[in-house]
Amino acid sequence: MHVMVLGAGLAGVTSAWYLNKAGFDVTVVERQSAPAMETSFANGGQISVSHPEPWANPSAPMTVLRWLGNDAAPLRFRPRADWRQWLWSAAFLRECLPWRTHRNTAAIAALARYSREQLRQLRDETGIDYRYQQRGILHLFFGTGAATEARHRAAALARLGITAEACDRDRALAIEPALAHLAQPPAGALFAPDDESGDAHAFVAALGEFLAKRGVQFRYDTGIERIVREGGRVSGLEVVLADGTRDLLEANAYVLCMGSYSPRLVAPLGEYLPVYPVKGYSVTLPVIDPARCPDVSLTDEARRIVCSRFGDRFRVAGTAELNGYDLNIDAARCQNLIDWTQRNFPGATDPAGAVPWCGLRPSTPSNRPLIGKGKMINLYYNTGHGSLGWTLACGSAAALADLMSGTPPRPDFPFLGSRFD
Ligand SMILES: Cc1cc2nc3c(=O)[nH]c(=O)nc-3n(C[C@H](O)[C@H](O)[C@H](O)COP(=O)(O)OP(=O)(O)OC[C@H]3O[C@@H](n4cnc5c(N)ncnc54)[C@H](O)[C@@H]3O)c2cc1C
């Protein structure tokens, strides 16, 4: 059976890997001239199984209100005359109900645990190199109640089968000595030793090359304009090539992995996908003093900033902006990330060499990705991974390949079509 995967980001290329392994004949269609050039290009690098809590949680509405109008806040909501933004925001508020948050957290944790396991297996099977570190993730908490919060989080994670240790300042310093220069010492920390980090772009590029050698076709510079339907099934993709010529690509089944652009393609088919772009920023800095630069991936829980070390480069990422498909880089946002790095790890990196970037997280109100089959007989989804697309990539794609092969996927997760809502 010939499967066409739409999009060559983390979701698309991992889908191609598991579908190829399951015996499908796979073609990947991508508008860019290389894989992972959009949201999967320069993310925070964390395989963060220890962060399954969705953004939509009981404290989120107050936090959003507190930050409203503050341009430097980690989260910025820019109201637009766009019904999709308002519908998404209303659904987000609904997901903040405690029982929904609880249920979403459990589902994400199950998929994340499975995903980390799949990633390790993929690494063993392919031997690909993407500057990964198996040194865990250290979450830093600040302010009053921080130590208690770390302890509560550790206990909650344990209930979800995720190992994490609440630590004091000395223990945090022993885990990551570069914290010695932190501007403000953390009042508490949480260490998830099984978490990892790695360069998502390098991963997707290397996996793409590996797959091309195994016979997977990659059609780059091919913009998908329209899904052509015949009754209840997809009969082809109308595409535009780099030279402007049009073509019709056909397969037996199709997997939509177009990140934030996924809903646009299926809207004409009468399918509404609750995926909205949430913009985030990163800066990548050259490391000039390795001893002062953290090796362990960190999360500053107060400022919602994450950082990961990729050899001689240091990636710092954060901020969330609900502002449609705008991809302009706000220099002030990037400067905040550079300042954070300079303040906490002085002398570790060269700010003059900072490379700014922004991307659109394909976010669902619940933070749960959409995996499985929609209304059309031969159209599948693997999209909407939001802030956890790197963490969940391998598990989502492995589960999708299972669903398409008629095998029940392992994680206890509400795949599309299951009765969850
Ligand atoms: C600042 C930031 C930090 C992040 N940090 C982390 C982190 O630390 N850990 C983590 O787990 N996740 C993180 N994420 C989230 C993660 O990066 C995303 O969830 C993930 O990259 C989404 O992958 P994707 O394949 O769904 O989308 P994309 O990478 O955007 O891939 C979609 C592909 O579809 C293609 N496409 C779109 N439209 C068309 C069309 N019409 N025709 C042809 N091709 C098309 C695009 O070119 C693109 O290549 C972060 C995100 C951001 C923005």
Side-chain angles (χ1 to χ4, degrees), residues 81-98:
D82 173 5
W83 65 267
R84 281 183 194 83
Q85 189 193 48
W86 290 96
L87 200 62
W88 189 95
S89 304
F92 179 89
L93 283 179
R94 193 171 71 128
E95 297 299 337
C96 292
L97 290 169

PDB file of all heavy atoms in Angstrom, residues 81-98:
ATOM      1  N   ALA A  81      -9.418  39.318  14.607  1.00  0.00           N
ATOM      2  CA  ALA A  81     -10.758  39.078  14.053  1.00  0.00           C
ATOM      3  C   ALA A  81     -10.735  37.740  13.332  1.00  0.00           C
ATOM      4  O   ALA A  81     -10.814  37.663  12.109  1.00  0.00           O
ATOM      5  CB  ALA A  81     -11.125  40.207  13.092  1.00  0.00           C
ATOM      6  N   ASP A  82     -10.577  36.684  14.097  1.00  0.00           N
ATOM      7  CA  ASP A  82     -10.413  35.356  13.516  1.00  0.00           C
ATOM      8  C   ASP A  82     -11.222  34.391  14.381  1.00  0.00           C
ATOM      9  O   ASP A  82     -10.852  34.114  15.528  1.00  0.00           O
ATOM     10  CB  ASP A  82      -8.908  35.007  13.518  1.00  0.00           C
ATOM     11  CG  ASP A  82      -8.634  33.576  13.099  1.00  0.00           C
ATOM     12  OD1 ASP A  82      -9.585  32.876  12.712  1.00  0.00           O
ATOM     13  OD2 ASP A  82      -7.462  33.156  13.166  1.00  0.00           O
ATOM     14  N   TRP A  83     -12.334  33.881  13.842  1.00  0.00           N
ATOM     15  CA  TRP A  83     -13.215  33.032  14.656  1.00  0.00           C
ATOM     16  C   TRP A  83     -12.476  31.800  15.176  1.00  0.00           C
ATOM     17  O   TRP A  83     -12.787  31.273  16.238  1.00  0.00           O
ATOM     18  CB  TRP A  83     -14.492  32.651  13.888  1.00  0.00           C
ATOM     19  CG  TRP A  83     -14.273  31.791  12.666  1.00  0.00           C
ATOM     20  CD1 TRP A  83     -14.104  32.239  11.386  1.00  0.00           C
ATOM     21  CD2 TRP A  83     -14.182  30.360  12.600  1.00  0.00           C
ATOM     22  NE1 TRP A  83     -13.912  31.177  10.527  1.00  0.00           N
ATOM     23  CE2 TRP A  83     -13.968  30.007  11.244  1.00  0.00           C
ATOM     24  CE3 TRP A  83     -14.270  29.334  13.543  1.00  0.00           C
ATOM     25  CZ2 TRP A  83     -13.832  28.688  10.818  1.00  0.00           C
ATOM     26  CZ3 TRP A  83     -14.134  28.011  13.114  1.00  0.00           C
ATOM     27  CH2 TRP A  83     -13.915  27.705  11.765  1.00  0.00           C
ATOM     28  N   ARG A  84     -11.443  31.347  14.417  1.00  0.00           N
ATOM     29  CA  ARG A  84     -10.713  30.147  14.864  1.00  0.00           C
ATOM     30  C   ARG A  84      -9.964  30.430  16.170  1.00  0.00           C
ATOM     31  O   ARG A  84      -9.896  29.584  17.048  1.00  0.00           O
ATOM     32  CB  ARG A  84      -9.715  29.708  13.797  1.00  0.00           C
ATOM     33  CG  ARG A  84     -10.355  28.965  12.677  1.00  0.00           C
ATOM     34  CD  ARG A  84      -9.365  28.470  11.652  1.00  0.00           C
ATOM     35  NE  ARG A  84     -10.078  28.070  10.457  1.00  0.00           N
ATOM     36  CZ  ARG A  84     -10.471  28.906   9.513  1.00  0.00           C
ATOM     37  NH1 ARG A  84     -10.217  30.191   9.609  1.00  0.00           N
ATOM     38  NH2 ARG A  84     -11.137  28.471   8.459  1.00  0.00           N
ATOM     39  N   GLN A  85      -9.445  31.649  16.275  1.00  0.00           N
ATOM     40  CA  GLN A  85      -8.725  32.002  17.508  1.00  0.00           C
ATOM     41  C   GLN A  85      -9.682  32.005  18.699  1.00  0.00           C
ATOM     42  O   GLN A  85      -9.353  31.496  19.780  1.00  0.00           O
ATOM     43  CB  GLN A  85      -8.063  33.378  17.358  1.00  0.00           C
ATOM     44  CG  GLN A  85      -7.135  33.701  18.491  1.00  0.00           C
ATOM     45  CD  GLN A  85      -6.719  35.164  18.525  1.00  0.00           C
ATOM     46  OE1 GLN A  85      -7.560  36.058  18.419  1.00  0.00           O
ATOM     47  NE2 GLN A  85      -5.428  35.418  18.654  1.00  0.00           N
ATOM     48  N   TRP A  86     -10.886  32.531  18.505  1.00  0.00           N
ATOM     49  CA  TRP A  86     -11.844  32.630  19.615  1.00  0.00           C
ATOM     50  C   TRP A  86     -12.415  31.270  19.990  1.00  0.00           C
ATOM     51  O   TRP A  86     -12.582  30.956  21.166  1.00  0.00           O
ATOM     52  CB  TRP A  86     -12.961  33.630  19.253  1.00  0.00           C
ATOM     53  CG  TRP A  86     -12.388  35.018  19.241  1.00  0.00           C
ATOM     54  CD1 TRP A  86     -11.930  35.705  18.151  1.00  0.00           C
ATOM     55  CD2 TRP A  86     -12.094  35.839  20.382  1.00  0.00           C
ATOM     56  NE1 TRP A  86     -11.400  36.917  18.534  1.00  0.00           N
ATOM     57  CE2 TRP A  86     -11.495  37.031  19.890  1.00  0.00           C
ATOM     58  CE3 TRP A  86     -12.293  35.703  21.760  1.00  0.00           C
ATOM     59  CZ2 TRP A  86     -11.094  38.061  20.742  1.00  0.00           C
ATOM     60  CZ3 TRP A  86     -11.888  36.735  22.601  1.00  0.00           C
ATOM     61  CH2 TRP A  86     -11.295  37.891  22.087  1.00  0.00           C
ATOM     62  N   LEU A  87     -12.675  30.471  18.943  1.00  0.00           N
ATOM     63  CA  LEU A  87     -13.184  29.109  19.206  1.00  0.00           C
ATOM     64  C   LEU A  87     -12.136  28.307  19.973  1.00  0.00           C
ATOM     65  O   LEU A  87     -12.427  27.596  20.936  1.00  0.00           O
ATOM     66  CB  LEU A  87     -13.480  28.431  17.854  1.00  0.00           C
ATOM     67  CG  LEU A  87     -14.433  27.248  17.882  1.00  0.00           C
ATOM     68  CD1 LEU A  87     -15.807  27.700  18.370  1.00  0.00           C
ATOM     69  CD2 LEU A  87     -14.572  26.637  16.468  1.00  0.00           C
ATOM     70  N   TRP A  88     -10.883  28.428  19.536  1.00  0.00           N
ATOM     71  CA  TRP A  88      -9.775  27.709  20.169  1.00  0.00           C
ATOM     72  C   TRP A  88      -9.631  28.177  21.627  1.00  0.00           C
ATOM     73  O   TRP A  88      -9.469  27.362  22.544  1.00  0.00           O
ATOM     74  CB  TRP A  88      -8.486  27.967  19.386  1.00  0.00           C
ATOM     75  CG  TRP A  88      -7.327  27.117  19.810  1.00  0.00           C
ATOM     76  CD1 TRP A  88      -6.929  25.937  19.257  1.00  0.00           C
ATOM     77  CD2 TRP A  88      -6.397  27.388  20.883  1.00  0.00           C
ATOM     78  NE1 TRP A  88      -5.817  25.445  19.913  1.00  0.00           N
ATOM     79  CE2 TRP A  88      -5.475  26.315  20.916  1.00  0.00           C
ATOM     80  CE3 TRP A  88      -6.261  28.415  21.812  1.00  0.00           C
ATOM     81  CZ2 TRP A  88      -4.422  26.257  21.838  1.00  0.00           C
ATOM     82  CZ3 TRP A  88      -5.227  28.347  22.733  1.00  0.00           C
ATOM     83  CH2 TRP A  88      -4.324  27.285  22.738  1.00  0.00           C
ATOM     84  N   SER A  89      -9.723  29.492  21.834  1.00  0.00           N
ATOM     85  CA  SER A  89      -9.546  30.039  23.187  1.00  0.00           C
ATOM     86  C   SER A  89     -10.668  29.566  24.116  1.00  0.00           C
ATOM     87  O   SER A  89     -10.427  29.249  25.292  1.00  0.00           O
ATOM     88  CB  SER A  89      -9.511  31.568  23.160  1.00  0.00           C
ATOM     89  OG  SER A  89      -8.492  31.988  22.273  1.00  0.00           O
ATOM     90  N   ALA A  90     -11.893  29.499  23.581  1.00  0.00           N
ATOM     91  CA  ALA A  90     -13.020  29.022  24.403  1.00  0.00           C
ATOM     92  C   ALA A  90     -12.789  27.549  24.779  1.00  0.00           C
ATOM     93  O   ALA A  90     -13.013  27.143  25.930  1.00  0.00           O
ATOM     94  CB  ALA A  90     -14.328  29.181  23.636  1.00  0.00           C
ATOM     95  N   ALA A  91     -12.321  26.771  23.801  1.00  0.00           N
ATOM     96  CA  ALA A  91     -12.058  25.346  24.081  1.00  0.00           C
ATOM     97  C   ALA A  91     -10.916  25.212  25.087  1.00  0.00           C
ATOM     98  O   ALA A  91     -10.935  24.326  25.948  1.00  0.00           O
ATOM     99  CB  ALA A  91     -11.720  24.623  22.778  1.00  0.00           C
ATOM    100  N   PHE A  92      -9.939  26.101  24.997  1.00  0.00           N
ATOM    101  CA  PHE A  92      -8.806  26.092  25.936  1.00  0.00           C
ATOM    102  C   PHE A  92      -9.326  26.295  27.367  1.00  0.00           C
ATOM    103  O   PHE A  92      -8.940  25.583  28.296  1.00  0.00           O
ATOM    104  CB  PHE A  92      -7.818  27.202  25.548  1.00  0.00           C
ATOM    105  CG  PHE A  92      -6.624  27.314  26.441  1.00  0.00           C
ATOM    106  CD1 PHE A  92      -5.472  26.588  26.178  1.00  0.00           C
ATOM    107  CD2 PHE A  92      -6.616  28.155  27.559  1.00  0.00           C
ATOM    108  CE1 PHE A  92      -4.355  26.678  26.994  1.00  0.00           C
ATOM    109  CE2 PHE A  92      -5.513  28.254  28.388  1.00  0.00           C
ATOM    110  CZ  PHE A  92      -4.378  27.520  28.104  1.00  0.00           C
ATOM    111  N   LEU A  93     -10.246  27.271  27.513  1.00  0.00           N
ATOM    112  CA  LEU A  93     -10.807  27.542  28.851  1.00  0.00           C
ATOM    113  C   LEU A  93     -11.530  26.307  29.396  1.00  0.00           C
ATOM    114  O   LEU A  93     -11.420  25.973  30.570  1.00  0.00           O
ATOM    115  CB  LEU A  93     -11.782  28.720  28.781  1.00  0.00           C
ATOM    116  CG  LEU A  93     -11.125  30.097  28.696  1.00  0.00           C
ATOM    117  CD1 LEU A  93     -12.186  31.190  28.594  1.00  0.00           C
ATOM    118  CD2 LEU A  93     -10.226  30.344  29.927  1.00  0.00           C
ATOM    119  N   ARG A  94     -12.242  25.604  28.511  1.00  0.00           N
ATOM    120  CA  ARG A  94     -12.952  24.386  28.938  1.00  0.00           C
ATOM    121  C   ARG A  94     -11.951  23.333  29.432  1.00  0.00           C
ATOM    122  O   ARG A  94     -12.191  22.627  30.404  1.00  0.00           O
ATOM    123  CB  ARG A  94     -13.758  23.846  27.759  1.00  0.00           C
ATOM    124  CG  ARG A  94     -14.769  22.781  28.155  1.00  0.00           C
ATOM    125  CD  ARG A  94     -15.679  22.461  26.998  1.00  0.00           C
ATOM    126  NE  ARG A  94     -14.970  21.731  25.957  1.00  0.00           N
ATOM    127  CZ  ARG A  94     -15.377  20.581  25.427  1.00  0.00           C
ATOM    128  NH1 ARG A  94     -16.494  20.050  25.829  1.00  0.00           N
ATOM    129  NH2 ARG A  94     -14.691  19.980  24.481  1.00  0.00           N
ATOM    130  N   GLU A  95     -10.806  23.251  28.764  1.00  0.00           N
ATOM    131  CA  GLU A  95      -9.804  22.248  29.152  1.00  0.00           C
ATOM    132  C   GLU A  95      -9.133  22.591  30.486  1.00  0.00           C
ATOM    133  O   GLU A  95      -8.387  21.788  31.034  1.00  0.00           O
ATOM    134  CB  GLU A  95      -8.733  22.079  28.055  1.00  0.00           C
ATOM    135  CG  GLU A  95      -9.259  21.554  26.735  1.00  0.00           C
ATOM    136  CD  GLU A  95      -9.893  20.167  26.798  1.00  0.00           C
ATOM    137  OE1 GLU A  95      -9.565  19.398  27.731  1.00  0.00           O
ATOM    138  OE2 GLU A  95     -10.727  19.864  25.933  1.00  0.00           O
ATOM    139  N   CYS A  96      -9.386  23.816  30.992  1.00  0.00           N
ATOM    140  CA  CYS A  96      -8.798  24.210  32.280  1.00  0.00           C
ATOM    141  C   CYS A  96      -9.562  23.616  33.461  1.00  0.00           C
ATOM    142  O   CYS A  96      -9.122  23.740  34.611  1.00  0.00           O
ATOM    143  CB  CYS A  96      -8.771  25.735  32.415  1.00  0.00           C
ATOM    144  SG  CYS A  96      -7.628  26.509  31.250  1.00  0.00           S
ATOM    145  N   LEU A  97     -10.715  23.003  33.203  1.00  0.00           N
ATOM    146  CA  LEU A  97     -11.461  22.360  34.308  1.00  0.00           C
ATOM    147  C   LEU A  97     -10.577  21.281  34.919  1.00  0.00           C
ATOM    148  O   LEU A  97      -9.916  20.526  34.189  1.00  0.00           O
ATOM    149  CB  LEU A  97     -12.750  21.726  33.766  1.00  0.00           C
ATOM    150  CG  LEU A  97     -13.825  22.707  33.315  1.00  0.00           C
ATOM    151  CD1 LEU A  97     -14.941  21.986  32.555  1.00  0.00           C
ATOM    152  CD2 LEU A  97     -14.398  23.441  34.522  1.00  0.00           C
ATOM    153  N   PRO A  98     -10.560  21.178  36.261  1.00  0.00           N
ATOM    154  CA  PRO A  98      -9.613  20.257  36.900  1.00  0.00           C
ATOM    155  C   PRO A  98      -9.676  18.833  36.379  1.00  0.00           C
ATOM    156  O   PRO A  98      -8.650  18.218  36.109  1.00  0.00           O
ATOM    157  CB  PRO A  98     -10.005  20.319  38.384  1.00  0.00           C
ATOM    158  CG  PRO A  98     -10.705  21.628  38.538  1.00  0.00           C
ATOM    159  CD  PRO A  98     -11.340  21.944  37.229  1.00  0.00           C
TER     160      PRO A  98
END
